[in-house]
Amino acid sequence: MNPCSLDRGGKMAGSRKLNLVSCLADLALFKGMGTAELARIAAFSSTKHLARGEDLFQAGQACEGLYFVVDGLIKLYAKAANGQEKVLEVVSPGGCVCEALAFSESGHGVHAGALMDALVLFVPKPVLVQELERNTGLAMRLLKGLSRRMNGLLKDIEAVTLHSGVQRVVDYLLHAPSVPEEPTQQQNLTVSLPASKGTIASLLSVTPEHFSRILHELQSRGLISVERRQIHILDAQGLAQYV
């Protein structure tokens, strides 16, 4: 059993130290680090359980360190004065929440909340800074992660400003993690939406109604089939040429 797994009550199984060392070792940022180094970080780190709908932090709060998703899904979102939300990112297990702000003196610019019951691992900023000064490999992995996040942000801005809603949905389906329907039919893929269609619609900057209409149109043309959150891509080439 993975010592970083959850027990039936939603709590970490095994001892605290063993669990946190195992969780850190599974994260891309800390890959390759020795047990002693991980134990040093784990000694000052902690976990936090969030119920569905509970905020991890709110815009304006000070950034005190890095949060990593161990289980569940965390959404980053902006919230207007009238209560309307815009989902900016959905962070899945293994992902880091807002690492770009870890070294900023300003507060969080967005809200972060749980899309489902979730478990996050928190590494305080002073601990992270101390390890970065000791480990150039860790620093390089953090920089690479920040670079990927920046490139993703630039692509999102390009998509929202230059691409239609249909193009954004098609691009999402074609680049989302997918699995072959059958081992002998590699062209038929299934995309499992990580969150509700409403959340994905907000992420793609379309209304839920528009998102549903786009899926219906693609389905009527035989390019996809929809089964709840499972989107079966029947014709990837045709889907790519649709826009």
Side-chain angles (χ1 to χ4, degrees), residues 21-219:
V21 168
S22 176
C23 288
L24 289 168
D26 287 339
L27 297 170
L29 181 61
F30 303 105
K31 285 291 184 183
M33 293 183 67
T35 302
E37 294 173 300
L38 294 174
R40 190 166 58 227
I41 299 172
F44 296 95
S45 301
S46 60
T47 57
K48 179 179 178 63
H49 294 269
L50 297 170
R52 179 181 179 181
E54 183 180 355
D55 274 342
L56 176 61
F57 55 75
Q58 296 184 338
Q61 289 184 342
C63 180
E64 300 177 340
L66 289 184
Y67 293 96
F68 299 90
V69 181
V70 177
D71 191 67
L73 294 171
I74 300 294
K75 68 175 180 179
L76 302 180
Y77 67 100
K79 191 172 184 179
N82 62 4
Q84 183 177 357
E85 294 183 6
K86 168 64 176 80
V87 178
L88 304 172
E89 185 179 0
V90 175
V91 185
S92 55
C96 184
V97 181
C98 285
E99 67 262 47
L101 290 178
F103 308 99
S104 173
E105 297 302 322
S106 60
H108 289 290
V110 297
H111 304 270
L115 286 170
M116 58 179 68
D117 290 352
L119 176 69
V120 297
L121 188 157
F122 173 69
V123 179
K125 185 188 298 186
V127 175
L128 180 64
V129 171
Q130 186 177 56
E131 292 302 321
L132 287 171
E133 292 174 345
R134 290 173 172 173
N135 191 324
T136 56
L138 176 62
M140 287 303 300
R141 288 192 295 275
L142 181 62
L143 286 174
K144 288 179 180 178
L146 292 173
S147 179
R148 285 193 297 270
R149 183 67 64 89
M150 178 62 70
N151 286 335
L153 177 61
L154 293 176
K155 289 181 179 179
D156 289 343
I157 293 173
E158 177 187 2
V160 171
T161 55
L162 300 179
H163 298 169
S164 68
V166 174
Q167 288 176 306
R168 294 197 295 276
V169 172
V170 167
D171 186 67
Y172 177 84
L173 294 177
L174 289 174
H175 293 92
S178 57
V179 296
E181 296 247 359
E182 299 291 342
T184 57
Q185 298 179 358
Q186 298 294 317
Q187 72 277 18
N188 292 343
L189 304 173
T190 294
V191 173
S192 181
L193 300 181
S196 69
K197 292 179 182 177
T199 297
I200 300 301
S202 180
L203 181 66
L204 299 176
S205 297
V206 297
T207 65
E209 296 77 15
H210 191 194
F211 185 59
S212 294
R213 287 197 299 270
I214 292 171
L215 293 181
H216 179 75
E217 174 64 19
L218 296 176
Q219 187 168 232

